[in-house]
Amino acid sequence: MEFINFDNVSDYNSFNNNETLHPLVSIVDLSKATPRRGTKMNFNLYCIILKQVKCGDLKYGNTYYDYQDGTLVFFAPGQVVEVTSNEYYQPFGTALTFHPDLIHNMPLGKHMNDYNFFSYNTNEALHISEKEKKIVLDCFSKIQYELEQSIDKHSKTLIASNIELFLNYCIRFYDRQFITRDNVNKGIIEKFEEMLNSYFVSDKPQKVGLPSVAWCADELHLSSNYFGNLIKKETGKSAQEYIQSKVIDVAKERIFDLGKSISEVSYELGFKYPQHFTRLFKQRVGMSPNEYKSLN
């Protein structure tokens, strides 16, 4: 399988037979690319691809949402992407790619971490409707317009502002996708709850410790960021808070076992040091485990 590094914008443009109009940013017409097959790509750029493929109708609950017009996938610097295909295929779609240097010392560069969908897995891509697709393409066209002008002191600010506008729309679209996937999300919440219940009746806490957000996400075959966002949208709690709530619920039952000390309960729950358990319990309940036990 071919392995390609995209260290700069011109590398990605050349790979897709597009002209480089600006050294740090490009709107790429993927239909100009030569047909290709399986490729492994290392991105040292930000790259967002609007895949123009027919995705079909997706049904959530009793409502159909038409996402035939495209899917958005997001890649960040340092990510390696593998396309597995033994047959040659013709790419179709539009990509926005930009180098991190474009947004250094700019408002967008200071809060790129807010757009954590760059860390989502490919199967957690953003499915967009026809109306949403028009907004995406309008943002792309504004960036393309700037690229076709002579570079002046306003170019960088206007391009970065339009990229920020586009990414902010993507946050809104993902919020919509979380809502329209409500039935699917509730299934994941149920699996998460079952997984935690099973975890605390096993010997895993003593062997492994407290379950981490990353471990839970991996068990559910989701990326940590997507899993965390989903839990927050559905429950109003962060995934970490949800896990801690489960720990406290289990602890409230076990501290009444007359044959066990607070230290033994803390060890059973996966705490390395009893004082860490006592601190968390007091933070969440408002009193120490012994005070709670005495009060009840």
Side-chain angles (χ1 to χ4, degrees), residues 235-246:
T235 69
K237 300 177 183 177
S238 70
Q240 184 64 30
E241 289 171 335
Y242 195 98
I243 292 169
Q244 289 177 349
S245 293
K246 173 57 66 175

Side-chain angles (χ1 to χ4, degrees), residues 12 55 71 111 114 117 140 152 172 195 212 224 246 257:
Y12 192 71
C55 301
T71 304
H111 63 92
D114 295 344
F117 41 72
F140 285 2
D152 59 27
R172 170 186 276 181
M195 184 176 65
S212 67
S224 294
K246 173 57 66 175
D257 188 332

Side-chain angles (χ1 to χ4, degrees), residues 182-201:
D182 191 51
N183 287 351
V184 177
N185 294 345
K186 280 185 169 57
I188 292 172
I189 297 293
E190 289 170 2
K191 289 179 182 177
F192 182 32
E193 181 70 22
E194 290 170 4
M195 184 176 65
L196 290 177
N197 288 336
S198 298
Y199 193 91
F200 285 109
V201 297

Side-chain angles (χ1 to χ4, degrees), residues 210-221:
L210 292 169
S212 67
V213 173
W215 182 86
C216 293
D218 190 58
E219 288 292 302
L220 294 167
H221 308 294

